[in-house]
Amino acid sequence: MDKVDEAQVAGELKLNARSIIRGRIFATSVLAVAIVFFIYDLAVDMLLEGEFGSPHFVIEFIVFVGVSVALGLNVRDIRRLRVRLFWEERRNLSLSGALAETIDDQMEEWRLTRSEKDVAWLIIKGYRFSEIAQARGVKESTPRLQATSVYAKAGVSGRAEFVAEIFQPLLMTMPGRSLQGNQAPAVATEPP
């Protein structure tokens, strides 16, 4: 199985989450700079210009308090986002490992060879035969033949049935989302 693709997808998701956090950190930094400015301005107004209690001073103080509250909320949100990201990454790693293990068990039950498993994983990921051949450094006919063998061992006739055969047992165990029992959806038939 090609671990590079899995790492790439996981990396892209992590990069997206991290970019959101970076954006929040930037906004928090801007608020921190504004707070430093307001502290300086309030100190100058109070100590050097004697404006303590004036409408100008009160308005700046209210804005200072508002910006300080916004800064505190942003810091809290960044911490929460980081914790959530950490737990989501752990949960995704656990779930993807369990899914891969379940699929591997099914492939073992079908007695697929190592090469057939590699081709099966690439089929599940949606690669075309030409891409599988290129990734494995073989002629396109090789993964086609291996796929035919995989389909035969799985008792299916093609790619779509194979992927459905892999995922149907997993989907049927989802609570509250599957059909009652193993009942198939009703299929409309033409009248005789």
Side-chain angles (χ1 to χ4, degrees), residues 18-128:
R18 299 232 186 267
S19 69
I20 291 169
I21 291 173
R22 276 194 306 274
R24 293 305 280 281
I25 289 172
F26 176 75
T28 302
S29 300
V30 170
L31 289 174
V33 168
I35 286 174
V36 169
F37 167 77
F38 278 114
I39 290 172
Y40 168 77
D41 190 46
L42 288 170
V44 167
D45 288 349
M46 186 172 62
L47 300 174
L48 299 178
E49 296 179 11
E51 290 189 17
F52 184 74
S54 71
H56 170 82
F57 183 85
V58 171
I59 290 171
E60 283 186 355
F61 185 76
I62 290 170
V63 172
F64 166 74
V65 169
V67 171
S68 297
V69 168
L71 176 69
L73 293 173
N74 266 353
V75 168
R76 182 200 65 191
D77 289 347
I78 289 169
R79 287 183 181 152
R80 286 182 178 173
L81 283 170
R82 285 183 171 166
V83 168
R84 184 172 179 195
L85 176 62
F86 171 78
W87 287 111
E88 287 296 323
E89 286 172 348
R90 290 194 59 175
R91 183 177 76 99
N92 288 343
L93 186 60
S94 173
L95 291 174
S96 65
L99 176 63
E101 188 176 313
T102 302
I103 292 171
D104 274 337
D105 289 346
Q106 182 65 51
M107 289 183 193
E108 284 295 322
E109 190 176 304
W110 289 330
R111 292 183 170 84
L112 300 184
T113 66
R114 181 71 246 157
S115 293
E116 289 170 340
K117 284 182 186 179
D118 289 344
V119 169
W121 273 110
L122 294 170
I123 289 170
I124 292 168
K125 289 180 177 185
Y127 286 93
R128 296 184 306 254

Side-chain angles (χ1 to χ4, degrees), residues 102-176:
T102 302
I103 292 171
D104 274 337
D105 289 346
Q106 182 65 51
M107 289 183 193
E108 284 295 322
E109 190 176 304
W110 289 330
R111 292 183 170 84
L112 300 184
T113 66
R114 181 71 246 157
S115 293
E116 289 170 340
K117 284 182 186 179
D118 289 344
V119 169
W121 273 110
L122 294 170
I123 289 170
I124 292 168
K125 289 180 177 185
Y127 286 93
R128 296 184 306 254
F129 289 123
S130 60
E131 295 170 323
I132 294 171
Q134 183 179 11
R136 301 190 76 229
V138 296
K139 293 181 180 180
E140 188 174 333
S141 60
T142 303
R144 284 185 184 279
L145 289 171
Q146 289 170 321
T148 301
S149 176
V150 167
Y151 301 155
K153 290 179 178 181
V156 297
S157 62
R159 180 185 292 255
E161 283 184 41
F162 173 70
V163 173
E165 188 67 23
I166 288 285
F167 286 104
Q168 183 171 358
L170 299 170
L171 297 174
M172 296 307 284
T173 60
M174 293 174 62

